[in-house]
Amino acid sequence: EMSKSLVDYNDSDSDSASDSDSDRGEEEEKERTDENLFAASKEDLVQGKRSHLALTEATGEEERKAPKMSLEKQRTFPHVQGQWPSHVFINVNEELEDECDVLETAREILLVALNRPVQQVVGFHVSVSRTFTLQFCEISPFVNALKKSLSTVQRFSLQLDPSSCRVLENEGNTHQFFCSTLTHTPQSLTMVVDAVDSTLCSFSKEPFYSERLFHLSFFSWVTLEDEHSLLSKDVITQTSTALRELSGLEVVVDTITFNCGDKVFSLPLL
């Protein structure tokens, strides 16, 4: 983000300058300052529009503004100017938008058991990559390479399995997540991860985890200092029971989502 600061100008103490001359000087200075700020702002807008158009034309995909990422996917590495945090995933928001009552009942069970704030995850998804970074000049080539890698993958379906819920931690060990695994791993999902891994490797980025534990996170809470034990088995069972209405919920996967900074690209499958 760019920020602009105005220069503070000291008042003149010269007795030789008249009040009218001083006023005219201040007005002229203000006009020059306003003109410079307008020119700078206009140039910023033009450059931003050029970047947007260049990226859209280069990828053939219209990017959208990304919602805030959940704690699970917020970067655990320092911010570096020019490095865009990125993530490839399957969006599951639409399938769960009508399940608010079920999710709230399960969240309340965790809230009582943990005696600390429990948040519903923002942006339900199934990850098919780690979080990684790209430079702006790499975004278009990455989108095009990923689109090519996914060009032979057929659309498929996923089913959640709330009966096998478990608790996982993020990479920074700062938060724990209540997750549902999948009933099974379709071959097309394996092909998606292979395609993403291939693209990542061509950009010298880390592939997905060697243990491909596909899951969807529902809730998160802060890991307390020196807290080594995860949620008890009884609480996991109670919460899983509350989520049983989601059993058999089918997620039709016809696009793969690539989130890069504040931009989101939807890449269609066959």
Side-chain angles (χ1 to χ4, degrees):
E1 295 182 2
M2 292 180 57
S3 60
K4 296 184 178 68
S5 58
L6 296 175
V7 177
D8 291 326
Y9 294 97
N10 294 327
D11 293 334
S12 172
D13 293 326
S14 173
D15 294 330
S16 61
S18 66
D19 289 343
S20 60
D21 289 341
S22 176
D23 290 344
R24 279 198 302 274
E26 289 177 1
E27 288 176 2
E28 291 173 358
E29 186 64 42
K30 182 178 184 302
E31 288 176 0
R32 286 196 295 271
T33 301
D34 289 344
E35 287 173 359
N36 290 338
L37 283 174
F38 174 77
S41 299
K42 184 176 180 181
E43 181 61 24
D44 287 345
L45 290 172
V46 170
Q47 290 295 340
K49 188 174 182 181
R50 284 174 185 162
S51 296
H52 171 84
L53 291 175
L55 192 58
T56 301
E57 291 171 359
T59 63
E61 300 288 338
E62 179 68 21
E63 75 264 20
R64 311 185 305 278
K65 289 292 183 182
K68 289 185 178 180
M69 297 173 72
S70 71
L71 291 168
E72 183 182 19
K73 290 302 163 192
Q74 287 179 358
R75 61 169 166 255
T76 55
F77 41 85
H79 169 69
V80 177
Q81 186 69 28
Q83 296 288 337
W84 293 55
S86 307
H87 178 218
V88 186
F89 58 93
I90 296 167
N91 193 328
V92 192
N93 268 334
E94 185 176 343
E95 286 77 8
L96 291 174
E97 64 183 3
D98 295 327
E99 305 296 342
C100 297
D101 292 342
V102 174
L103 293 170
E104 181 57 24
T105 299
R107 191 185 74 86
E108 289 175 356
I109 294 171
L110 295 173
L111 194 63
V112 171
L114 290 162
N115 193 29
R116 74 185 86 160
V118 175
Q119 298 179 339
Q120 183 173 297
V121 167
V122 177
F124 295 116
H125 64 273
V126 176
S127 293
V128 293
S129 83
R130 302 173 187 248
T131 301
F132 57 99
T133 61
L134 291 174
Q135 295 182 356
F136 183 81
C137 62
E138 294 179 305
I139 299 176
S140 293
F142 185 88
V143 171
N144 289 329
L146 183 56
K147 190 190 304 183
K148 183 177 180 181
S149 295
L150 293 169
S151 63
T152 60
V153 182
Q154 299 279 346
R155 64 187 63 192
F156 58 97
S157 296
L158 298 177
Q159 283 192 331
L160 302 180
D161 185 12
S163 65
S164 63
C165 284
R166 58 191 299 176
V167 177
L168 300 174
E169 286 189 293
N170 63 351
E171 290 185 73
N173 298 321
T174 60
H175 288 77
Q176 296 175 19
F177 296 84
F178 193 86
C179 312
S180 170
T181 57
L182 307 179
T183 56
H184 67 287
T185 302
Q187 183 180 2
S188 290
L189 177 55
T190 300
M191 292 174 66
V192 166
V193 178
D194 288 343
V196 174
D197 277 357
S198 174
T199 306
L200 288 168
C201 289
S202 68
F203 283 78
S204 301
K205 307 300 178 182
E206 277 191 280
F208 200 44
Y209 306 100
S210 55
E211 181 186 0
R212 295 179 175 180
L213 179 60
F214 298 109
H215 63 277
L216 183 147
S217 297
F218 292 115
F219 312 105
S220 70
W221 57 89
V222 174
T223 301
L224 299 181
E225 189 176 359
D226 298 326
E227 183 176 44
H228 302 294
S229 61
L230 300 179
L231 209 58
S232 73
K233 185 176 180 180
D234 287 344
V235 174
I236 292 176
T237 300
Q238 291 175 34
T239 311
S240 297
T241 300
L243 292 170
R244 67 183 180 276
E245 290 185 33
L246 302 181
S247 297
L249 179 69
E250 186 176 39
V251 179
V252 177
V253 183
D254 53 10
T255 60
I256 300 299
T257 303
F258 170 50
N259 178 190
C260 185
D262 63 349
K263 304 179 187 302
V264 179
F265 300 88
S266 293
L267 307 177
L269 301 178
L270 289 177

